[in-house]
Amino acid sequence: MIRRTLLATALATGLCFAAGAQAQTKWDLASAYPTFNFHSQNLAQFAKDIDGATKGALKITVHSGASLFKGPEIKRAVQGGQAQAGEFFMVSFQNEYPIFGADGLPFLAANYDEAFKLYQAQKPFLQKKLDEQGMVLLYAVAWPPQGIYTKKPVQSAADLKGMKWRVYSPTTARIGELVGAQPVTIQEAELSQALATGVIEGLITSSATGADNKLFENLKYYYNVQAWIPKNAVVANKRAFNALDKATQDAVVKAAAAAEERGWKESRAVDAKSLAALKAGGMQVEAPSAQLKADLAKVGETVIKEWTDKAGADGKAVLDAFKGGK
Ligand code: PCA
């Protein structure tokens, strides 16, 4: 019985013993984005830093490209210990807990500095919720600001009417509804195929995702709306984390802080590089027209009001902390 429990614990925490060798812990880290994406590169460096700092006592294998679990399954897999760690796109989980969606609210945080402040306002709530769910927040990194990609030119929200509109969160679906588009949920890993087969005709995402997926092969316009700056969170299973000795835990926390700083810096650089790549690919990269801006601002107000009503005291606390720290 004891042996069975020990074995179960060893499996859940990824603890391995090689004959005669020192105990080595192995973690699988699941992520949904391509290996060359900047979040994935950052994860690879994070794993390398931990390997170095622990002299190989904790080996983390990063499974990018949704190769271990599909994007929407990663959070639950970490929660259940099927993967010891993982990266997930927070705004997709807004229905679970509204604070996960605070960084997907239109025109709340207008730039990276504000997005970082919003993160600081969210952080204690994220940590608490994830802890309740059996996870530890290691770090979070912003995607570049979100803009609109389309096949046809868009001068106002009316031009989005009827468009097959790819969504990745409750808020993007709601925006689609409000402008009369047809929302379809598609994972990033399936974007290119959905575009090539005409399942979608437009979407809102970052310059980075546009460049990663060569969206200019199917779409012609990018309106740099800078609607919001959403984040990926990197989490560990709490039992797996607690099973590490103190020195290894410290190494993970330290590497996570470094990854967070590096990631936010890289996100800015990647935004500039990706906008250039979109243009080089033949995409028309434009600022939104005054009308489109005004239309989206109105939609944004509705979305924020609906979110605030649902998000209750925690939502109010996040918004107050954000505005106070701004
Ligand atoms: N790219 C991811 C999430 C946000 C982003 O910029 C996506 O479109 O799924």
Side-chain angles (χ1 to χ4, degrees):
M1 184 60 204
I2 290 173
R3 243 165 83 193
R4 258 180 46 202
T5 312
L6 277 178
L7 184 64
T9 307
L11 286 175
T13 56
L15 193 63
C16 303
F17 295 92
Q22 219 195 337
Q24 184 187 73
T25 303
K26 290 189 174 178
W27 279 12
D28 287 310
L29 190 156
S31 99
Y33 304 98
T35 308
F36 54 80
N37 169 268
F38 79 98
H39 288 289
S40 310
Q41 294 288 313
N42 200 27
L43 282 171
Q45 186 63 47
F46 172 62
K48 208 169 145 199
D49 287 352
I50 290 172
D51 191 4
T54 65
K55 300 195 176 61
L58 176 59
K59 291 261 184 209
I60 301 179
T61 305
V62 178
H63 303 266
S64 45
S67 56
L68 193 59
F69 291 99
K70 292 203 157 111
E73 295 164 5
I74 291 175
K75 181 169 176 287
R76 184 160 293 276
V78 177
Q79 183 168 11
Q82 288 93 348
Q84 290 78 21
E87 180 183 57
F88 71 94
F89 186 43
M90 286 202 298
V91 299
S92 295
F93 293 86
Q94 177 182 316
N95 284 344
E96 213 175 79
Y97 182 47
I99 306 307
F100 285 138
D103 46 324
L105 294 176
F107 310 113
L108 181 64
N111 54 49
Y112 276 103
D113 287 343
E114 291 192 6
F116 193 74
K117 280 174 191 148
L118 179 57
Y119 173 35
Q120 301 315 304
Q122 280 170 294
K123 202 185 217 169
F125 295 91
L126 300 173
Q127 285 168 327
K128 182 162 179 281
K129 174 56 78 178
L130 289 165
D131 180 71
E132 282 164 18
Q133 296 181 331
M135 287 175 277
V136 180
L137 176 66
L138 298 177
Y139 68 86
V141 166
W143 285 94
Q146 308 288 294
I148 296 178
Y149 291 86
T150 53
K151 240 185 181 97
K152 294 190 200 128
V154 172
Q155 297 305 328
S156 70
D159 294 331
L160 298 169
K161 221 177 179 148
M163 189 180 286
K164 290 182 240 166
W165 175 250
R166 178 265 178 160
V167 303
Y168 60 47
S169 66
T171 291
T172 45
R174 184 68 183 125
I175 291 172
E177 257 172 44
L178 287 167
V179 301
Q182 299 178 45
V184 196
T185 299
I186 302 281
Q187 295 312 310
E188 199 262 5
E190 271 96 50
L191 258 187
S192 299
Q193 199 187 336
L195 280 165
T197 54
V199 172
I200 55 170
E201 305 160 318
L203 69 151
I204 185 156
T205 188
S206 59
S207 55
T209 292
D212 283 359
N213 292 282
K214 298 192 169 62
L215 294 189
F216 42 79
E217 288 177 352
N218 292 289
L219 301 172
K220 200 158 164 27
Y221 299 90
Y222 182 59
Y223 298 97
N224 199 353
V225 172
Q226 316 224 328
W228 57 85
I229 301 180
K231 295 182 288 292
N232 280 353
V234 177
V235 290
N237 173 280
K238 194 158 90 176
R239 258 176 65 200
F241 184 82
N242 289 342
L244 301 173
D245 62 39
K246 177 78 170 67
T248 308
Q249 285 181 351
D250 289 349
V252 171
V253 169
K254 195 168 164 215
E260 185 164 280
E261 201 183 324
R262 192 170 58 232
W264 280 78
K265 230 184 242 159
E266 189 57 16
S267 184
R268 293 177 192 241
V270 161
D271 189 27
K273 268 189 260 173
S274 304
L275 288 170
L278 293 177
K279 284 182 200 162
M283 190 161 253
Q284 244 167 281
V285 176
E286 294 175 14
S289 71
Q291 184 63 54
L292 180 59
K293 256 176 138 164
D295 291 348
L296 293 174
K298 217 168 136 203
V299 168
E301 274 172 32
T302 306
V303 167
I304 291 188
K305 173 156 191 334
E306 290 173 356
W307 180 87
T308 310
D309 289 347
K310 263 200 198 142
D314 287 5
K316 189 177 175 315
V318 168
L319 292 185
D320 288 350
F322 170 60
K323 284 172 190 155
K326 218 167 129 173

